[in-house]
Amino acid sequence: MNWHLAWRAGVVAMALALAACSDDGDSNENPDGGGTTDEKNRPGMGLSEEEPEGLPFTLPEGLTLEEPIKGYNPSNPEDCDDKYPDEAKGQGEQVRLCFIFNNNTNAPITLQLPPGLIFVSRSLLVQNGMIAQRISIEVPPKTRYFQPIYSYCTNSGRESASLYDEFELGKVTQYQDFQELFRLLENKTVTRENFVVVNQAIGDLADGEGLSAERRAAINALP
């Protein structure tokens, strides 16, 4: 794929991602049998302004994370140690962040970020982010290590993260329908070209719409 086609694919993916995270005003009824819930029942998701729920996540001993976590600019990553998108982890377009880890030990530390981990915006105008597949990061010893991470949006009607927005490391969601989605995504290859399928599914679950048969089929069709 030449850079013209890659650029077009990125623009299309971004447009679809923005649509997936917007509130279309439809009811919460799901004709495909995914279940019906009130989107405000899930703290930190959909239209909720509460803190997201889940299990606490703890960093390995000897590893610290600088907070607040700031937004990431893929076209000019000067503030992220010049780490370009080919070094980023995860997928998603609306919550792209630069993590700064400090390994205070004399040995490398392998960090495993579990699916369902939420990155919580300090502003109620900006999306919270969530990863849907496990991310593995090796942090060298005695190093201040920069790592760009892309994540999916979870809030209808909120803005995308900018370079100056601030986030904190949140909890790991335990809702059963999200756990089903994460199981479906195990061993799947999600890329910049097809991540919208996952983005739409997470948007549906965050809004309490359930995982429809259509979404399951699209996820099962991923390579």
Side-chain angles (χ1 to χ4, degrees):
M1 177 183 290
N2 62 37
W3 76 268
H4 293 283
L5 293 177
W7 179 83
R8 289 179 183 175
V11 170
V12 171
M14 181 61 175
L16 290 172
L18 287 169
C21 287
S22 65
D23 184 9
D24 60 11
D26 292 341
S27 72
N28 290 327
E29 294 182 1
N30 183 2
D32 294 313
T36 302
T37 61
D38 183 346
E39 62 187 14
K40 293 184 179 180
N41 282 343
R42 291 188 165 175
M45 298 186 186
L47 300 178
S48 169
E49 296 184 351
E50 300 177 58
E51 285 289 315
E53 294 180 332
L55 293 179
F57 178 76
T58 304
L59 294 171
E61 186 176 355
L63 189 68
T64 59
L65 171 65
E66 296 183 18
E67 289 186 328
I69 305 162
K70 294 291 189 68
Y72 169 73
N73 182 359
S75 60
N76 183 21
E78 179 181 1
D79 293 331
C80 201
D81 198 31
D82 289 320
K83 297 270 181 86
Y84 280 86
D86 60 339
E87 296 182 79
K89 303 277 189 178
Q91 295 294 337
E93 291 289 335
Q94 288 196 270
V95 187
R96 298 181 291 196
L97 306 176
C98 179
F99 286 68
I100 306 176
F101 298 101
N102 287 277
N103 182 349
N104 303 306
T105 75
N106 294 314
I109 295 176
T110 300
L111 173 64
Q112 299 286 342
L113 301 180
L117 181 61
I118 300 171
F119 310 133
V120 183
S121 171
R122 289 187 173 181
S123 169
L124 294 176
L125 299 177
V126 178
Q127 296 277 346
N128 295 326
M130 177 189 289
I131 60 174
Q133 293 178 295
R134 186 171 300 277
I135 291 176
S136 179
I137 303 168
E138 183 170 299
V139 183
K142 297 293 184 181
T143 302
R144 186 171 184 248
Y145 188 79
F146 293 73
Q147 178 61 62
I149 294 179
Y150 291 9
S151 58
Y152 299 100
C153 50
T154 64
N155 302 96
S156 303
R158 294 197 197 181
E159 300 173 358
S160 302
S162 74
L163 183 62
Y164 303 104
D165 288 316
E166 298 181 344
F167 288 76
E168 296 176 353
L169 192 63
K171 297 179 180 179
V172 183
T173 191
Q174 298 297 301
Y175 294 119
Q176 291 185 1
D177 47 6
F178 274 98
Q179 294 301 316
E180 178 191 3
L181 173 62
F182 303 149
R183 288 192 295 270
L184 290 174
L185 288 170
E186 289 179 0
N187 303 317
K188 293 293 186 180
T189 301
V190 182
T191 67
R192 183 177 175 83
E193 285 70 39
N194 65 20
F195 80 90
V196 174
V197 171
V198 182
N199 202 78
Q200 291 170 333
I202 287 181
D204 287 349
L205 298 185
D207 284 343
E209 296 178 7
L211 191 61
S212 69
E214 179 184 2
R215 296 285 188 243
R216 286 191 183 92
I219 292 166
N220 287 330
L222 292 172

